[in-house]
Amino acid sequence: MSTTLLIKDVRIFDGENEFPNGSVLVENGLIKQVSEGPSEAPHASTTVISRPGYTLIPGFIDGHIHAHIDEQNAVLKQALNFGVTTVCDMQQEAENIDRLRAQAAQDPDAADFKTSSQSATVLGGWPAAVVTAHDKSEETLAKIATWPDLKSKADIEAYIQKRIDDKADYIKLMHEDGNGLSVKPILPPLELQKFIIERAHQHGFLAVAHATSLQGTIDILRAGVDGLTHTFCDKPPTKEVVDAYLLNNAHCNPTLAAMGSLTTEGQKAQEAYAHDPRVEKFLDSESQRRLCACMAFGNEQASVEYAYQTVKELKAAGVDIILGSDAAGPALGTAFGVSAHHELALLVKKCGFTPKEALQSGTTVISRRLRFNDRGKIAAGLRADLLLVEGNPLEDIDSTLNIRGVWKQGILCSTYKDLLA
């Protein structure tokens, strides 16, 4: 097959600008040229795809998932089937990382893989508290016993060195106080968190943090993190939390679909996605069942409406919002790839984003915030991670699921091989 590809006669959204009719030339996995108007193949061996009425956009980057290992490589494959060309793992067993990276590198049908490796955890803290609330098997308890239990500066120095050895892409902190939840984890001391952030920054890492309460979010932002991996659902937003985001120029990865599963308020939408013909053809019966169910560990004060309102206010204040699904095997109400599209729709339908702004959250904004300088935009010299959809997602965000082609580094995902027929 030719290593040169021309996609022409399509609407292009490059991550910043729209071109009503244009073309993209790809060579050896990279974008060589983006042109407005008609375009011809540079030589006879070029693979040419002409699709008037379709829209070409950058492949999505899902800024929050939790991958697992299976023989089918299902996590990374399913993500790519839904146009998510890069996934960002936010808590992973260190021994799995090489295998997941190898799958991403060697399988053209698998999404690219980024990871924090193991998070900065403490004994009895998050996520152990929620895991053991549902699973107290000997196997699970033995695995949790291998997680970091950070108590001192020496522990943190060793933890950061291990993340350097793992070639982690960023550092993930856990700052969960349990407000709004049915579990009450042990909360790491703020002085400890500050030292983790300080050391992460000294070694060139971004530091992002889990928090799902208003006060926890304010506290960890003031400690100096670069971004949050959730928004909160226990209370309405305040000026104090908006100011805390602005203090650091921090970003927010709100995971609204997952928060709706946590409180159960998102179940109807989850069911609608699970039974959407564009989705269900890629899900087995168990995945479909799990997408229809809810995590349901919010308490009586938790509401996803607080999360929506927070994102509205952060957006109005100029805080960057990035795309993240929190999709995970154990996370009821989520599905790899699918939940990224659900998240985009929630940004538009619940948080006041235009479709263009929502698309940017999963392309140019997230690539800038997570320092992925080789992707996230359709521009010469960048990776040819591309998504072709029928219709115009700049007018109707639901069109992102009308997927007709996905390329990772210029290679067409085999699910869409009929595009070349």
Side-chain angles (χ1 to χ4, degrees):
M1 183 180 293
S2 171
T3 58
T4 304
L5 166 70
L6 178 67
I7 306 171
K8 68 175 190 173
D9 305 320
V10 293
R11 178 183 299 102
I12 297 170
F13 176 63
D14 68 4
E16 293 179 351
N17 302 300
E18 176 187 3
F19 306 100
N21 182 44
S23 64
V24 173
L25 181 65
V26 174
E27 284 191 358
N28 301 318
L30 299 177
I31 297 164
K32 183 174 183 182
Q33 183 176 319
V34 182
S35 305
E36 291 189 67
S39 186
E40 298 302 323
H43 43 75
S45 63
T46 301
T47 299
V48 179
I49 295 172
S50 172
R51 289 295 185 275
Y54 287 25
T55 303
L56 190 69
I57 62 178
F60 292 126
I61 301 170
D62 187 335
H64 190 154
I65 67 123
H66 298 277
H68 60 267
I69 297 285
D70 62 26
E71 291 305 318
Q72 293 75 37
N73 192 11
V75 172
L76 302 184
K77 285 178 178 289
Q78 183 169 303
L80 195 70
N81 279 343
F82 285 102
V84 175
T85 51
T86 302
V87 295
C88 301
D89 192 283
M90 285 290 169
Q91 156 77 359
Q92 189 55 248
E93 306 299 342
E95 64 266 24
N96 292 341
I97 292 172
D98 285 347
R99 184 169 172 184
L100 286 162
R101 282 180 172 149
Q103 289 176 343
Q106 297 166 13
D107 188 349
D109 285 341
D112 199 23
F113 178 77
K114 304 286 188 178
T115 186
S116 64
S117 181
Q118 290 183 306
S119 299
T121 50
V122 299
L123 184 65
W126 194 267
V130 71
V131 171
T132 55
H134 300 283
D135 181 0
K136 293 184 174 66
S137 67
E138 288 187 11
E139 181 182 3
T140 296
L141 294 176
K143 178 56 66 179
I144 289 173
T146 69
W147 291 358
D149 179 19
L150 304 181
K151 300 176 182 176
S152 66
K153 290 185 176 181
D155 291 342
I156 292 167
E157 297 283 11
Y159 167 80
I160 294 291
Q161 185 57 53
K162 287 181 179 178
R163 303 296 75 78
I164 294 170
D165 295 343
D166 292 338
K167 297 181 173 60
D169 296 289
Y170 34 78
I171 298 295
K172 169 83 176 292
L173 291 82
M174 298 294 190
H175 199 73
E176 180 56 68
D177 56 21
N179 294 340
L181 304 182
S182 59
V183 294
K184 197 72 174 176
I186 292 173
L187 185 67
L190 275 171
E191 287 307 310
L192 193 80
Q193 302 286 47
K194 289 177 183 177
F195 193 71
I196 296 168
I197 296 164
E198 175 188 316
R199 282 294 185 262
H201 287 165
Q202 286 177 352
H203 287 280
F205 288 113
L206 281 174
V208 297
H210 165 111
T212 63
S213 77
L214 172 62
Q215 192 58 53
T217 299
I218 292 169
D219 289 343
I220 200 66
L221 282 167
R222 288 176 175 170
V225 290
D226 301 296
L228 269 291
T229 63
H230 299 282
T231 190
F232 51 89
C233 61
D234 64 322
K235 292 181 179 179
T238 63
K239 182 178 183 299
E240 189 178 17
V241 74
V242 174
D243 288 345
Y245 269 99
L246 295 174
L247 179 68
N248 297 0
N249 186 30
H251 67 260
C252 177
N253 186 338
T255 65
L256 297 169
M259 301 308 275
S261 174
L262 184 152
T263 69
T264 74
E265 294 162 280
Q267 188 167 24
K268 286 185 178 180
Q270 293 161 210
E271 291 172 346
Y273 278 96
H275 296 292
D276 187 317
R278 301 170 298 175
V279 169
E280 60 184 357
K281 63 184 177 182
F282 293 126
L283 300 184
D284 59 29
S285 58
E286 177 60 13
S287 297
Q288 195 173 30
R289 182 194 70 79
R290 295 181 68 82
L291 181 54
C292 291
C294 288
M295 289 183 262
F297 53 81
N299 64 21
E300 66 282 351
Q301 75 185 80
S303 174
V304 75
E305 294 296 332
Y306 297 149
Y308 299 154
Q309 186 59 38
T310 299
V311 172
K312 286 181 186 178
E313 295 193 14
L314 292 176
K315 176 181 181 292
V319 173
D320 282 332
I321 308 297
I322 67 173
L323 175 67
S325 67
D326 200 14
L332 298 176
T334 70
F336 296 103
V338 181
S339 296
H341 293 268
H342 185 183
E343 192 77 10
L344 291 169
L346 288 171
L347 290 174
V348 173
K349 296 173 183 178
K350 299 293 187 179
C351 301
F353 281 57
T354 65
K356 176 181 177 179
E357 290 168 337
L359 294 174
Q360 288 176 317
S361 77
T363 56
T364 49
V365 176
I366 190 170
S367 61
R368 171 170 53 80
R369 292 304 313 218
L370 298 186
R371 302 176 183 170
F372 301 158
N373 299 321
D374 62 344
R375 68 194 72 195
K377 186 179 179 182
I378 301 177
L382 299 189
R383 286 170 57 112
D385 293 350
L386 303 167
L387 171 59
L388 183 68
V389 301
E390 188 169 358
N392 185 359
L394 292 161
E395 293 181 352
D396 178 9
I397 197 64
D398 184 63
S399 297
T400 60
L401 275 172
N402 297 336
I403 300 172
R404 301 295 180 259
V406 180
W407 292 263
K408 185 184 78 168
Q409 290 187 290
I411 299 175
L412 180 67
C413 175
S414 65
T415 298
Y416 300 98
K417 61 183 183 298
D418 291 346
L419 184 70
L420 301 178

